[in-house]
Amino acid sequence: DISIVVRAGGLDGDFIAHPLATSQVVLCAAPQYLRRHGQPKDPVGLARHALLIASLGRMPRAFAMTNAGNLDARQRGTTVEVVPERVVLSSHNAELIRAGALAGMGIAALPSFAVQGDLEQGRLQRVLGDWRLFDVSVFACLPSRKQVPAVVRAVLDFLRAEFPGSDCDPWLPMEAAAPHHLRLAA
């Protein structure tokens, strides 16, 4: 068996973990939501919007956003604490959060692998793209190194070849360092 595990932070457990990729948690919303409510200009403005949050571990009441400085190098590294005024949906189920975002319920915070196709097709749009929440790590996990069937080893070899374990996000088309995009169902 191979389990694909997504975690913010490290892993602990009695298994063998192979790091595959990093996925950035991005903010996105349906175009109709943004037409009705406007695009937030900064994290303070984000706090006043309806938010949909995929709980990846314990999601704190307030969260930090860091400016990546892609447009304004003077603000690079600035961190702002956001205290949401209206979280309309919070769930461990990323598909539920994604469905809410697609339905125009609010601005979602989701891993890039969950929304890559929606961003490419224009069903969702990035919000505050210069600001970063956090990344999650994607691992292929095996129960043991012993007696790994050939088919499992072949799948693991394929995954390790497709995802070299780097820090770039292979699901974000904006990442110039990403060599290609591989879709995984969320």
Side-chain angles (χ1 to χ4, degrees):
D1 286 333
I2 295 178
S3 296
I4 303 299
V5 177
V6 178
R7 287 283 187 273
L11 284 178
D12 54 355
D14 192 19
F15 50 83
I16 308 302
H18 299 274
L20 296 177
T22 298
S23 179
Q24 189 181 140
V25 174
V26 297
L27 295 169
C28 54
Q32 67 267 26
Y33 175 86
L34 295 173
R35 279 193 298 275
R36 282 193 322 266
H37 301 282
Q39 179 89 242
K41 305 273 188 270
D42 55 37
V44 174
L46 173 68
R48 293 187 286 274
H49 279 266
L51 298 180
L52 310 135
I53 298 174
S55 304
L56 303 162
R58 286 184 41 213
M59 187 72 173
R61 175 70 183 119
F63 52 90
M65 295 185 71
T66 303
N67 189 305
N70 295 331
L71 295 177
D72 186 353
R74 294 170 301 187
Q75 290 188 357
R76 182 176 294 128
T78 303
T79 299
V80 175
E81 185 174 271
V82 177
V83 181
E85 294 174 14
R86 251 180 6 129
V87 175
V88 296
L89 183 60
S90 178
S91 174
H92 291 290
N93 185 330
E95 273 302 306
L96 179 64
I97 299 298
R98 179 179 162 269
L102 289 168
M105 289 178 62
I107 297 174
L110 286 163
S112 60
F113 65 78
V115 294
Q116 173 197 16
D118 297 316
L119 292 171
E120 289 173 352
Q121 298 299 313
R123 293 183 297 262
L124 293 175
Q125 295 176 357
R126 288 279 306 264
V127 173
L128 296 176
D130 267 359
W131 292 86
R132 297 213 35 178
L133 284 167
F134 58 94
D135 295 340
V136 293
S137 298
V138 181
F139 299 91
C141 297
L142 301 171
S144 169
R145 287 193 204 309
K146 299 175 184 169
Q147 300 175 355
V148 177
V151 68
V152 171
R153 187 170 309 283
V155 170
L156 181 60
D157 289 346
F158 169 78
L159 290 171
R160 291 171 78 182
E162 287 295 313
F163 298 101
S166 66
D167 289 335
C168 73
D169 188 326
W171 296 283
L172 284 179
M174 303 77 165
E175 298 285 334
H180 64 295
H181 305 288
L182 182 68
R183 272 186 225 291
L184 289 181

